[in-house]
C-alpha cells in the first residue's frame, strides 16, 4: 500500500482493510504507521546488506563481484518493485532518527559497491582514472530507475535487463 498509494496516502484503516481486520486492531500488531514503514525498510535493507556481504566475502574476482552486484541490484529492482519504491520514495516519511538509520544502511550498500570498484582498479581490471564514488552513483542511478519503467511481462525479463546492464557497465 505504501508503494502504491504513498505513505501519506495510506491510512491505518487502509492497512486494516487489506489485512481483513478492524481498523483499531492494526495497533495490536504495530505501534505506529511510521514504525511499520521503518520495519519494512529495515527488512529490505537487511536482505540487501546480507546479499552484499555474501558477494563481498566470496572468492570471486572484483569483476565477478561487480557482475553479481549489478545483478543483485537490477533484478531486485525489477522483481521487487514495491520494496524498491519504499526505499527510494518513502525515507522522507520517517522520523529523523529512523532516517539516519536508513541513511547508514544506504551508505553501507554504496560503500560496498565502491569498494569492489576500488579493488578492481587495484587489480588492474577497472580503469584507474574512473572515480569509484561517481561510478557507484551512476550504477545505482541506472539501477534505481528500473523501478520507474520496468513492467513484469514486458519486452525484457529481469535477467535480460541485468545482462544488458552488466555488459554496459563492465
Amino acid at each position: 500500500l505504501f508503494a502504491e498509494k504513498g505513505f501519506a496516502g495510506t491510512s491505518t484503516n487502509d492497512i486494516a482493510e487489506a489485512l481483513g481486520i478492524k481498523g483499531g486492531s492494526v495497533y495490536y500488531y504495530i505501534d505506529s504507521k511510521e514504525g511499520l514503514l521503518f520495519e519494512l525498510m529495515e527488512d529490505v535493507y537487511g536482505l540487501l546488506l546480507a546479499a552484499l556481504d555474501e558477494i563481498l566475502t566470496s572468492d570471486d574476482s572484483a569483476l565477478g563481484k561487480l557482475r553479481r552486484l549489478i545483478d543483485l541490484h537490477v533484478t531486485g529492482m525489477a522483481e521487487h518493485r514495491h520494496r524498491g519504491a519504499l526505499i527510494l520514495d518513502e525515507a522522507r516519511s520517517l522520523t529523523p532518527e529512523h532516517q539516519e538509520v536508513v541513511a547508514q544502511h544506504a551508505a553501507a550498500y554504496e560503500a560496498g559497491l565502491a569498494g569492489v570498484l576500488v579493488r578492481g582498479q587495484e587489480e588492474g581490471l577497472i580503469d584507474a582514472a574512473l572515480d569509484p564514488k561517481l561510478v557507484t552513483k551512476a550504477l545505482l542511478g541506472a539501477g534505481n530507475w528500473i523501478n520507474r519503467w520496468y513492467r513484469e511481462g514486458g519486452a525484457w525479463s529481469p535477467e535480460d535487463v541485468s545482462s544488458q546492464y552488466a555488459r554496459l557497465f563492465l
Side-chain angles (χ1 to χ4, degrees), residues 68-82:
R68 289 179 62 195
L69 287 169
I70 291 169
D71 186 58
L72 168 70
H73 198 80
V74 168
T75 58
M77 282 297 178
E79 293 175 348
H80 305 286
R81 291 181 53 237
H82 288 99

Side-chain angles (χ1 to χ4, degrees), residues 16 27 29 37 44 54 60 73 92 104 106 117 119 145 154 158:
Y27 292 105
Y29 301 99
L37 177 63
V44 172
E54 179 182 321
D60 289 342
H73 198 80
R92 68 184 182 276
Q104 289 173 3
L117 292 166
R119 179 75 185 263
W145 198 251

Side-chain angles (χ1 to χ4, degrees), residues 135-151:
V135 173
T136 297
K137 298 288 186 194
L139 281 166
L140 293 177
N144 290 349
W145 198 251
I146 292 167
N147 187 268
R148 303 290 188 239
W149 61 261
Y150 183 81
R151 295 295 175 262

Side-chain angles (χ1 to χ4, degrees), residues 54-69 116 119 123 125:
E54 179 182 321
I55 292 168
L56 295 180
T57 58
S58 74
D59 292 333
D60 289 342
S61 69
L63 287 181
K65 289 177 183 182
L66 182 57
R67 172 65 179 94
R68 289 179 62 195
L69 287 169
V116 168
R119 179 75 185 263
E123 294 173 2
L125 301 171

Side-chain angles (χ1 to χ4, degrees), residues 6-27:
F7 178 78
T10 302
S11 70
T12 53
N13 284 333
D14 293 332
I15 295 168
E17 185 177 316
L19 294 172
I21 60 176
K22 294 184 188 225
S25 299
V26 167
Y27 292 105

Side-chain angles (χ1 to χ4, degrees), residues 69-117:
L69 287 169
I70 291 169
D71 186 58
L72 168 70
H73 198 80
V74 168
T75 58
M77 282 297 178
E79 293 175 348
H80 305 286
R81 291 181 53 237
H82 288 99
R83 291 178 183 171
L86 281 180
I87 62 174
L88 294 175
D89 300 333
E90 295 300 340
R92 68 184 182 276
S93 300
L94 296 170
T95 64
E97 297 80 14
H98 286 162
Q99 285 179 10
E100 178 60 32
V101 172
V102 168
Q104 289 173 3
H105 294 326
Y109 186 70
E110 283 191 34
L113 179 52
V116 168
L117 292 166

